């Protein structure tokens, strides 16, 4: 399925073009300056490769970023773009999306930018459900400042600022987003072009705020952070690929299954030991985020065992920007403002 | 209601202060009296003064809320230094305000509240109504609460509710005493209590009882009349600073054709701008109550990028949080209006009191060389014009602009000649629509006259470009770390702000005799007190000139010339000398500071003495 086949309420008001686009149309003349081997290259290529299928006029696409390695992204996209300040991209993008429904607005951020300095803006954007697509490049490290631990680093991480190991407990971006009332939450991997593209398609189609966590490798300061999920030898046993309507099974030959345990918690079991009906079927459109949250909690912070990827949640909830426009429109339908009448007010007197 | 019974004595001007507990409805009483006074055509100026606590403990000094109104048959400039009439609803209100009264002034006290407990609460050793301490005033002891309860005996409301209408009784009495009409207040009550007919009837009855009491009591032998002030012919209304500022923003939106967007976080004393603008969606206004101050300005900047007339409104603590985004707006060169309704600082300071101590924060409170134009209104009504001017500069020069109002302007009011909307200045957004350099679009290629860069909004085909907070190459806007380019860009941004001076009028000087050797230079809300002080000095035969700055960055082009024309320059400010520092630094003028930071507007009396001393020292 391509994006063109999807109903795309999130892009309903964005003008389209009949001209055929290719990835090349979205490349700028600026030299890409990420470190050789950085996971960001793969994400850039995936986004440039995927945008043509949306068929949007490229002047109606905007990338807004904060600060960090990932936030250089807009400079490399031949659309409109703003490289803003640390943590504030969701706030800036909110003002833009609120006033310009004809734009497809994307936020590019990282684990430090979105979850540390910009944590407040992120959770409020998610609860409001403004029509924004937030791509959170998670490399579990501060790269641009040369290697301090981040809010997603595992406890005990030895970095320049934590020579004896970090003491901070980490955030799980998916759990956080679900707790923040997000209407769309997904997790994917920089190097899995097919999966990443599939997730981007669904995010683009969604009306409201979409949060996409992209597990991304920083080969300089945190190389191999996601390796056990990437290595074909180990990934099948560790990664749970969520698919709507399908039973949640993983591992070689679907040897593992996610089931509800006796106390109501969900647990991983050997498929052979459980009946089919015991295996959870996944539905990202479920009203209740409880199961999505529980699945996000299965992942082990250190070993990455049982890390679920895919679309955790994709539900329709009225988008804030649309409601704002509707409120304004309903007032204007009763008559446009009259400046002279406003200035005059109700209590005047005349001096002759 | 007729009142032929008592003699009517004409007065030139009166200052009344209503003071009571913060739950006594003093602000409402003051507002209503102001409305009636405006309707009579008096010139007027008001000063609400209330605590930061919503309901401080009843009967205590911190809980006193006051509203001062100065009205006259001639043009006045301030809410008045000292009240001629103090209405004190309880011992705390008396104690907190008595020091401002001159001997012989009128004092109306609500005796019902002078209970042993209330008197002890404010540490009076004895009941001030009995111990002779008020002998030098014209005291009217009235049981406002009990008379109100008595007047409402027939109503189906509790005694407590009846007592709460005492402010209407007081208002009725004062309206009688100063020959104000009653229709406006009755209409106002009808609208306010439309859904509570019993409360409505009780309030009207209390109001009328107060009026009748004035007419019949022997406590007042005369009533007063203040004739309308001669004003330029035209249509007038009374206006408060925050709504005037909001109207100015709406007008700027209409005059530019740009949709108005406000991103804001609630903060005293700026929240009323958010409240006011949220009422005017029929002008297409979008208001966004953000999660914090940073998001408020962030959203505004995003809207500016998209082509809106974008505004954020806050007070000093909010500016501190917004500083980084203001810096980004300087770098992005996008139009943005940042309203700072100044209050007492530092830190949380005095949220409901006024001050002018954010000038240097507005001027310099950012990292790097980040010049921002500054505009300051001088009176409540002037907030309208200042907002329009801030919008003109922001849009024309593609720059953030700081609009420095303050708590006194925000809540104070004055008569306002209603502007003719058809004669307001037009603001031209002049969006970029096509490539500007050999078929390419260069986002930092400047207009040679204004040095403004093109405003190319998303959705404009062929003008796709990237901007950001990193230093950019002149012209192309591409990231540049080149030393020479950085120096060039820093100077260019400064030159652009300096160039604004070419678009603003000269600094005007009020010097009726033309012989003054002393100049008083002010900015912002000290306009009234400085003007009144200068008049007082001139009335005593002194010669003094007054100039008032609307633009604090850049200064008007003739500022140096004006300063050098006088032997002495006095700069009165509600801070420790911030404009004085700028003037000394920029013009090497040995300005004399006159500084007060009491959270209240200056009294013009004291300032007049200082001016006279300086004149006499020459």
């Amino acid at each position: 399925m391509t994006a063109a086949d999807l109903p795309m309420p999130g892009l309903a008001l964005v003008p389209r073009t009949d001209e055929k686009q290719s990835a090349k149309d979205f490349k700028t003349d600026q030299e890409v300056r990420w470190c050789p081997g950085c996971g960001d290259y793969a994400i850039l290529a995936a986004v440039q490769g995927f945008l043509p299928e949306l068929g949007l006029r490229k002047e109606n696409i905007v990338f807004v970023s904060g600060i960090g390695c990932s936030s250089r992204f807009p400079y490399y996209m031949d659309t409109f773009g703003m490289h803003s300040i640390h943590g504030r991209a969701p706030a800036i993008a909110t003002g833009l999306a609120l006033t310009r429904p004809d734009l497809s607005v994307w936020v590019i951020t990282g684990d430090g930018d979105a979850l540390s300095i910009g944590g407040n803006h992120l959770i409020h954007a998610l609860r409001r459900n403004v029509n924004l697509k937030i791509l959170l490049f998670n490399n579990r490290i501060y790269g641009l400042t040369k290697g301090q631990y981040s809010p997603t680093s595992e406890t005990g991480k030895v970095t320049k600022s934590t020579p004896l190991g970090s003491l901070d407990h980490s955030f799980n971006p998916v759990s956080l987003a679900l707790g923040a009332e997000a209407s769309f939450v997904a997790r994917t991997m920089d190097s899995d072009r097919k999966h990443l593209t599939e997730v981007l398609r669904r995010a683009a189609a969604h009306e409201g705020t979409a949060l996409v966590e992209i597990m991304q490798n920083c080969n300089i300061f945190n190389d191999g952070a996601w390796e056990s999920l990437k290595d074909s030898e180990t990934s099948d046993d560790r990664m749970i690929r969520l698919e709507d309507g399908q039973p949640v099974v993983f591992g070689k030959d679907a040897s593992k299954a996610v089931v509800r345990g006796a106390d109501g918690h969900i647990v991983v079991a050997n498929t052979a030991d459980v009946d089919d009906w015991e295996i959870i079927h996944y539905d990202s459109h479920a009203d209740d985020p409880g199961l999505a949250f529980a699945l996000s909690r299965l992942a082990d912070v250190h070993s990455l065992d049982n890390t679920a990827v895919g679309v955790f949640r994709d539900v329709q909830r009225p988008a804030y920007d649309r409601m704002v426009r509707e409120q304004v429109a309903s007032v204007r339908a009763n008559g446009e403002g009259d400046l002279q009448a406003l200035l005059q007010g109700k209590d005047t007197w005349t001096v002759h | 209601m007729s009142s032929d019974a008592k003699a009517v004595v004409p007065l030139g001007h009166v200052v009344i202060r209503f003071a009571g507990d913060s739950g006594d409805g003093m602000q409402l009483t003051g507002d209503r009296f102001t409305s009636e006074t405006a309707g009579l055509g008096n010139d007027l100026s008001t000063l609400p003064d209330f605590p930061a606590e919503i309901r401080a403990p009843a009967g205590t000094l911190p809980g006193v809320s006051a509203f001062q109104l100065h009205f006259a048959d001639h043009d006045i400039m301030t809410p008045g230094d000292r009240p001629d009439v103090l209405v004190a609803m309880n011992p705390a209100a008396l104690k907190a305000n008595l020091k401002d009264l001159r001997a012989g002034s009128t004092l109306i006290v609500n005796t019902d509240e002078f209970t042993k407990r209330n008197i002890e609460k404010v540490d009076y050793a004895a009941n001030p109504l009995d111990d002779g301490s008020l002998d030098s005033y014209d005291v009217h002891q009235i049981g406002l609460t009990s008379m109100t309860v008595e007047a409402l005996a027939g109503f189906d409301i509790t005694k407590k509710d009846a007592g709460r209408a005492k402010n209407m009784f007081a208002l009725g009495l004062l309206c009688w005493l100063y020959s104000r009409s009653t229709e406006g207040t009755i209409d106002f009550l009808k609208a306010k209590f439309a859904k509570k007919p019993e409360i409505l009837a009780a309030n009207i009855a209390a109001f009328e009882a107060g009026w009748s009491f004035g007419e019949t009591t022997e406590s007042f032998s005369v009533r007063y009349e203040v004739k309308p002030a001669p004003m330029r012919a035209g249509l007038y209304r009374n206006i408060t600073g925050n709504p005037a500022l909001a109207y100015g923003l709406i007008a700027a939106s209409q005059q530019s054709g740009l949709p108005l967007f406000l991103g804001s976080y609630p903060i005293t004393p700026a929240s009323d701008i958010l409240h006011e603008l949220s009422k005017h969606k029929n002008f297409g206004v979008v208001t966004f109550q953000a999660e914090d101050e940073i998001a408020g300005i962030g959203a505004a900047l995003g809207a500016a990028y998209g082509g809106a007339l974008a505004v954020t409104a806050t007070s000093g603590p909010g500016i501190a949080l917004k500083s980084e985004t203001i810096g980004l707006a300087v770098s992005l060169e996008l139009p943005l209006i940042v309203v700072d309704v100044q209050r007492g600082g530092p830190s949380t300071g005095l949220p409901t009191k006024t001050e002018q101590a954010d000038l240097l924060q507005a001027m310099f409170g950012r990292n790097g060389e980040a010049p921002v134009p500054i505009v300051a209104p001088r009176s409540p009504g002037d907030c309208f014009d200042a907002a329009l001017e801030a919008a003109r500069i922001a849009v024309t020069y593609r720059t953030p602009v700081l609009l420095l109002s303050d708590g006194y302007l925000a809540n104070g009011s004055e008569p306002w000649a209603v502007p003719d909307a058809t004669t307001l200045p037009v603001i031209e957004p002049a969006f970029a629509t096509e490539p500007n350099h050999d078929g390419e679009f260069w986002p930092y290629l400047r207009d040679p006259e204004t040095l403004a860069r093109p405003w190319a909004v998303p959705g404009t085909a062929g003008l796709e470009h990237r901007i950001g907070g990193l230093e950019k190459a002149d012209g192309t806007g591409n990231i540049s770390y080149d030393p020479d380019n950085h120096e060039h860009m820093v100077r260019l941004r400064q030159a652009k702000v300096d160039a604004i001076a070419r678009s603003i009028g000269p600094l005007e000087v009020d010097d009726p005799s033309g012989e003054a050797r002393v100049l008083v230079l002010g900015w912002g809300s000290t306009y009234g007190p400085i003007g009144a002080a200068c008049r007082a000095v001139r009335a005593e035969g002194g010669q003094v000139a007054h100039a008032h700055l609307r633009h604090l960055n850049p200064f008007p082009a003739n500022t140096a010339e004006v300063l050098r024309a006088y032997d002495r320059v006095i700069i009165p400010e509600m801070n420790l000398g911030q404009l004085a520092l700028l003037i000394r630094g920029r013009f090497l003028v040995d300005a004399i500071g006159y500084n007060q930071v009491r959270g209240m507007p200056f009294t013009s009396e004291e300032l007049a003495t200082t001016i006279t001393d300086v004149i006499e020292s020459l």
Side-chain angles (χ1 to χ4, degrees), chain B residues 527-572:
Chain B
Y527 176 72
I530 293 174
C534 289
R535 284 183 185 179
V537 169
R538 290 172 197 145
E540 297 295 318
Q543 310 290 346
V544 63
H546 176 198
H548 217 74
L549 290 161
R550 166 186 293 298
H551 298 91
L552 292 137
N553 193 32
F555 290 122
N558 67 330
T559 306
E561 194 188 316
V562 168
L563 294 170
R564 302 233 157 82
Y566 296 88
D567 295 333
R568 294 283 186 277
V569 177
I570 305 173
I571 302 184

Side-chain angles (χ1 to χ4, degrees), chain B residues 81-99:
Chain B
D81 291 356
R82 297 168 179 282
D84 302 306
V85 181
L86 172 66
V87 179
M89 301 299 281
N90 66 7
L94 178 69
K95 189 162 190 185
N97 291 288
L98 192 65
K99 61 180 185 311

Side-chain angles (χ1 to χ4, degrees), chain A residues 305-342:
Chain A
D305 281 355
N306 307 330
T307 300
V309 299
V311 177
F312 284 74
R313 182 164 173 78
D314 180 3
V315 297
Q316 291 301 311
R317 178 154 66 81
Y320 178 82
D321 52 298
R322 177 154 45 135
M323 292 190 291
V324 167
R325 290 192 297 275
E326 285 171 358
Q327 217 175 46
V328 170
S330 72
V331 173
R332 297 184 101 172
N334 295 327
E336 284 289 315
D338 173 344
L339 184 59
Q340 192 62 51
L342 173 76

Side-chain angles (χ1 to χ4, degrees), chain A residues 4-80:
Chain A
D5 305 323
L6 275 169
M8 299 199 289
L11 298 171
L13 301 177
V14 184
R16 285 159 193 278
T17 176
D18 294 332
E19 279 175 41
K20 198 162 162 45
Q21 297 170 330
S22 71
K24 201 163 157 279
D25 294 320
F26 290 94
K27 290 180 179 155
T28 62
D29 60 356
Q30 299 295 295
E31 183 193 353
V32 183
R33 290 194 191 161
W34 288 311
C35 307
C38 176
D40 290 355
Y41 283 96
I43 304 172
L44 178 64
V47 172
Q48 287 169 337
F50 141 80
L51 280 178
E53 56 175 271
L54 295 180
L56 305 175
R57 298 182 66 99
K58 67 176 187 172
E59 65 269 22
N60 289 78
I61 301 172
V62 185
F63 284 85
V64 182
S65 65
I67 292 291
C69 293
S70 61
S71 288
R72 297 297 177 99
F73 196 96
Y75 288 117
Y76 311 133
M77 294 297 303
D78 193 17
T79 61
F80 277 85

Side-chain angles (χ1 to χ4, degrees), chain A residues 59-64 80-82 91-105, chain B residues 256-261 286 297-311 332-336 395 398 429-432 453-460 465 467:
Chain A
E59 65 269 22
N60 289 78
I61 301 172
V62 185
F63 284 85
V64 182
F80 277 85
M82 186 197 293
I92 291 168
T94 291
L96 183 61
L98 264 177
T99 47
R100 292 291 305 272
D102 61 325
L103 302 178
S104 171
V105 182
Chain B
S256 62
L258 301 174
L260 184 59
F261 178 89
V286 171
I297 189 173
L301 185 61
Y305 180 58
L309 181 66
V311 185
L332 297 181
E333 303 192 40
L334 284 171
L336 179 67
V395 171
R398 323 303 199 200
F431 288 123
R453 77 174 191 93
W455 190 8
V457 300
T460 315
H465 66 281
I467 54 176

Side-chain angles (χ1 to χ4, degrees), chain A residues 28 30 33 57-60 62 72 74-75 77-86 88 91-92 94-96 98-100 103 120-121 124 127-128 320 324 327-328 331-332 335-340 342-345 347-352, chain B residues 35 38 41 231 233-238 247 261 280-284 286 288 290-292 294-295 298-299 302-303 305-306 324-325 328 332 384 415-416 418-421 456-461 463-470 478-479 481:
Chain A
T28 62
Q30 299 295 295
R33 290 194 191 161
R57 298 182 66 99
K58 67 176 187 172
E59 65 269 22
N60 289 78
V62 185
R72 297 297 177 99
Y75 288 117
M77 294 297 303
D78 193 17
T79 61
F80 277 85
M82 186 197 293
H83 177 217
S84 76
I85 44 177
H86 209 7
R88 315 304 170 201
I92 291 168
T94 291
L96 183 61
L98 264 177
T99 47
R100 292 291 305 272
L103 302 178
N120 200 33
H121 307 308
H124 287 275
R127 82 170 161 87
R128 272 190 206 105
Y320 178 82
V324 167
Q327 217 175 46
V328 170
V331 173
R332 297 184 101 172
E336 284 289 315
D338 173 344
L339 184 59
Q340 192 62 51
L342 173 76
L343 300 183
Q344 219 153 297
D347 254 339
T348 57
W349 69 95
T350 304
V351 174
H352 298 284
Chain B
S35 238
M231 293 193 200
L235 188 67
Y236 285 80
R237 64 174 286 179
N238 196 50
Y247 294 172
F261 178 89
H280 300 295
K281 295 183 170 55
N282 54 341
F283 289 93
V286 171
F288 173 63
E291 60 269 21
D292 58 30
I294 300 172
Y305 180 58
E324 190 189 13
T325 312
L328 177 62
L332 297 181
F384 176 82
W416 186 50
V418 176
D420 176 355
V457 300
T460 315
L463 304 195
E464 296 84 356
H465 66 281
R466 277 62 56 190
I467 54 176
L470 286 169
N478 291 331
I479 298 172
Y481 301 113

